[in-house]
Amino acid sequence: MTFELLLFLAAGLFSIGLFGALSQQSIVMIMMGIELMIGGIIVAAADFWHFLAPTGSGQVVIVAAVVAMAVEMAMGFAVTTAIYRARQVDMTDMAEDLKG
Amino acid sequence: MGTTAAVLLWTLGVLALACGVLVFTLNSMARVTFALLASLVCVGGVVTVLGLPYLGVVIVLMMAMEMVIMAVFMIAYMMNPAGLTPMSMLHNKRGALAISGVVFAALTSAVFVVPWPDRPRLRSKDTTVQVGMSLMGDQMLTMVTLGFVLLATMVGATVLATNRGRYDRFGDDLDQRPARDPAGGGVGR
């Protein structure tokens, strides 16, 4: 049952992060939501590794998720810096020029 | 899995979820950042308890550094960093709640409906060696790809975050002299 409960935890983290990523206006807060979503993916991957596939490749999935987290954070900060420097914008609603 | 490990998993899991909720309910940007740090440290703890101490510690260390940097960005770019007044920076809250609720329901039902395969009991005694051998062996292509992704990220982030580069100073062909600087340097400026 622990296996299912940990997946439940992962689903909870993913959904909380998804809510944040969809609802927040601030670019930095959206990044926080994405971080939580990837946190959920890491929990699920560790759970699968422990209970179903305790192989090296299973651990590599977690490594890839951690790298995705780092890339998201670095590029997010860089984009925030660039758009704030160009237009003093730090909210998504103020950067909707391409909105249809 | 022993009783201690199960209790630890429960505690860390509940804390991770509670801190995750706090991220989007607190007013202070600094507190929000540290709530996210607490949530992700609990995720690292869960990974460690599940038998992956190396990756768990990597996650905890990485999150500590990331969140300290993020706290600086939050306070620099966002209003109300101290949380002295209530604030709401949401758009389409109902839609976001509906979508995330549906996703949560779908994932949860899948967790309990899917007939998961039998669970193997054989695990490597040294999981750090296991991931190292995997990354340097059959997953080498993954390792190389992740390395290039990180390199591209470093280059891209530097380009985006740089205010004025050499092309701004010396022109498109890098042959413009003197450099176009906001303030001249040297004697007699």
Side-chain angles (χ1 to χ4, degrees):
Chain A
M1 196 61 187
T2 310
F3 171 71
E4 284 85 356
L5 284 176
L6 280 170
L7 284 182
F8 181 76
L9 163 67
L13 282 175
F14 187 88
S15 304
I16 293 170
L18 182 63
F19 167 74
L22 291 177
S23 66
Q24 295 292 322
Q25 286 184 312
S26 161
I27 300 171
V28 183
M29 291 295 284
I30 291 172
M31 285 161 55
M32 288 192 158
I34 298 173
E35 291 272 307
L36 271 179
M37 290 168 73
I38 301 178
I41 291 169
I42 289 175
V43 169
D47 191 29
F48 280 120
W49 176 86
H50 184 86
F51 288 103
L52 293 186
T55 61
S57 303
Q59 289 197 58
V60 173
V61 175
I62 301 176
V63 174
V66 171
V67 169
M69 216 177 226
V71 167
E72 174 260 323
M73 190 64 88
M75 291 309 288
F77 284 142
V79 167
T80 309
T81 303
I83 197 168
Y84 190 83
R85 179 173 284 141
R87 299 164 53 176
Q88 277 70 52
V89 163
D90 69 338
M91 310 277 270
T92 51
D93 289 4
M94 291 189 277
E96 53 179 18
D97 307 41
L98 298 180
K99 187 177 179 182
Chain B
M1 182 172 291
T3 313
T4 313
V7 170
L8 263 176
L9 277 181
W10 270 97
T11 311
L12 289 169
V14 171
L15 275 176
L17 281 177
C19 292
V21 172
L22 283 178
V23 170
F24 301 113
T25 50
L26 286 173
N27 282 326
S28 158
M29 290 301 106
R31 284 182 209 139
V32 162
T33 309
F34 287 107
L36 181 62
L37 171 61
S39 181
L40 293 173
V41 164
C42 290
V43 167
V46 167
V47 172
T48 305
V49 174
L50 283 175
L52 299 170
Y54 174 72
L55 290 177
V57 170
V58 165
I59 290 170
V60 170
L61 292 177
M62 194 179 115
M63 288 309 122
M65 289 307 298
E66 261 191 30
M67 291 309 136
V68 171
I69 297 169
M70 185 174 253
V72 174
F73 272 81
M74 292 287 273
I75 292 166
Y77 284 133
M78 297 182 66
M79 74 291 282
N80 192 26
L84 299 177
T85 53
M87 65 172 187
S88 175
M89 293 186 300
L90 303 176
H91 55 186
N92 195 17
K93 186 178 178 182
R94 282 186 187 170
L97 261 177
I99 293 172
S100 50
V102 167
V103 167
F104 179 69
L107 288 174
T108 308
S109 54
V111 166
F112 292 103
V113 167
V114 169
W116 300 105
D118 290 337
R119 295 158 192 192
R121 293 290 170 195
L122 274 178
R123 275 187 286 275
S124 173
K125 285 181 181 170
D126 193 338
T127 53
T128 307
V129 169
Q130 187 188 39
V131 69
M133 294 301 286
S134 188
L135 284 173
M136 292 297 123
D138 57 339
Q139 293 291 333
M140 177 59 89
L141 183 60
T142 312
M143 182 70 188
V144 171
T145 307
L146 292 179
F148 275 112
V149 167
L150 285 172
L151 177 64
T153 302
M154 284 189 275
V155 174
T158 306
V159 168
L160 281 172
T162 302
N163 188 10
R164 296 181 72 252
R166 56 183 174 160
Y167 292 103
D168 299 304
R169 300 186 67 225
F170 299 121
D172 292 343
D173 297 324
L174 298 177
D175 58 357
Q176 178 184 304
R177 294 295 185 279
R180 194 187 305 144
D181 287 330
V187 179
R189 57 184 160 162

